[in-house]
Amino acid sequence: MSEPHAVPVITVDGPGGSGKGTVCLLLAEKLGWHVLDSGSLYRLIALQALQQNIKNDSQIVELARDMDVEYLPAGDHLQIMLQGRDVTEAVRAEAVGNKASEIAASAPVRQALLRRQREFARPPGLLADGRDMGTVVFPQAPLKIFLTASAEERAKRRYKQLKDKGMDANLPALVAELEARDRRDSERSAAPLKAADDAVLVDTTDMGIDEVVDRVMHMASLRLGGSVV
Ligand code: C5P
């Protein structure tokens, strides 16, 4: 198993729609680093549980431990392969996200995913996107970012993403779903969504994505020096 902290890790945590995914991909491209989209792991378990109608807790833990997943670089995103099938679009569905948030409250599922997540830390570095990257998965990361934005702004971003893909979307329903998911993610006892004590908080409500990326790059060059230049 690779040493989890032998390579530099930047953790980017925060609620859904705060811009974590885009920021991590853009930073990874600038730095030539790897990306861990940890939310997609919970979504992959949810997708299989929904498709196979699996409700039993121990079977869900088995999925977390044994699923065969591969991430392939595909331009501005990662292609997600599950047992050789392209599920990149399927895992983004709102129903899958909601099921993922339900499954993510399970401590045994989180435990089963720990090692898999830490194995993403490979040279030259890792951008880790999630809810508990800085608090649980990579507690010794030299730079931890916590991105926030108002629920309205986050819902607007998700609305635009869905519309751009030609999908149906309803703004008030998205605000309500985001708030419900935030509540569930923040109130659960297993690795709740919260900023690590040593995380830097960045409110992206009124910021463009390039501005967020520049801010994090600046912090990375101060904290990590040689590893990011
Ligand atoms: O970030 P994304 O919306 O893809 O995550 C889906 C769900 O997975 C979240 O609502 C959250 O409940 C869960 N999650 C988590 N811990 C992570 C990443 C995601 O609990 N590190």
Side-chain angles (χ1 to χ4, degrees), residues 4-216:
H5 302 298
V7 294
V9 177
I10 298 177
T11 60
V12 183
D13 289 303
S18 55
K20 296 170 293 153
T22 313
V23 166
C24 282
L25 284 171
L26 290 171
L27 282 167
E29 199 185 330
K30 273 185 191 270
L31 296 168
W33 286 14
H34 302 281
V35 177
L36 163 61
D37 167 10
S38 60
S40 69
L41 294 172
Y42 293 92
R43 286 173 181 269
L44 284 161
I45 302 167
L47 180 70
Q48 294 172 91
L50 287 171
Q51 286 179 340
Q52 298 167 35
N53 197 23
I54 298 175
K55 298 201 170 88
N56 176 291
D57 288 350
S58 60
Q59 279 179 289
I60 291 182
V61 172
E62 263 171 49
L63 284 178
R65 204 184 46 222
D66 302 334
M67 64 184 176
D68 165 22
V69 184
E70 206 184 349
Y71 293 86
L72 306 174
D76 62 351
H77 69 283
L78 289 174
Q79 189 179 17
I80 308 177
M81 306 297 289
L82 175 67
Q83 265 107 35
R85 264 188 319 132
D86 182 353
V87 294
T88 317
E89 284 297 319
V91 293
R92 300 315 315 165
E94 287 301 304
V96 175
N98 287 326
K99 182 75 181 168
S101 150
E102 200 183 301
I103 286 174
S106 154
V109 168
R110 305 197 73 86
Q111 182 63 33
L113 286 179
L114 260 188
R115 175 175 168 170
R116 192 190 281 267
Q117 295 180 90
R118 289 181 176 151
E119 284 176 350
F120 277 79
R122 295 199 200 104
L126 177 71
L127 268 309
D129 158 358
R131 304 288 190 290
D132 61 342
M133 298 294 100
T135 49
V136 176
V137 183
F138 300 107
Q140 283 139 41
L143 178 59
K144 300 178 184 178
I145 308 291
F146 193 86
L147 293 188
T148 57
S150 69
E152 287 71 21
E153 175 61 24
R154 291 186 284 123
K156 273 190 212 155
R157 292 175 189 169
R158 185 139 298 174
Y159 180 85
K160 187 173 179 308
Q161 271 173 1
L162 292 171
K163 285 283 175 187
D164 286 351
K165 283 190 201 152
M167 290 161 88
D168 233 10
N170 171 305
L171 192 57
L174 283 175
V175 175
E177 270 171 31
L178 269 177
E179 285 177 335
R181 199 185 305 177
D182 286 354
R183 221 171 8 254
R184 196 158 50 213
D185 289 348
S186 310
E187 288 173 2
R188 69 182 178 217
S189 56
L193 167 66
K194 69 166 194 244
D197 291 341
D198 51 349
V200 182
L201 262 63
V202 180
D203 185 338
T204 70
T205 306
D206 298 313
M207 287 172 86
I209 202 77
D210 291 338
E211 210 182 325
V212 181
V213 169
D214 286 350
R215 172 102 53 105
V216 178

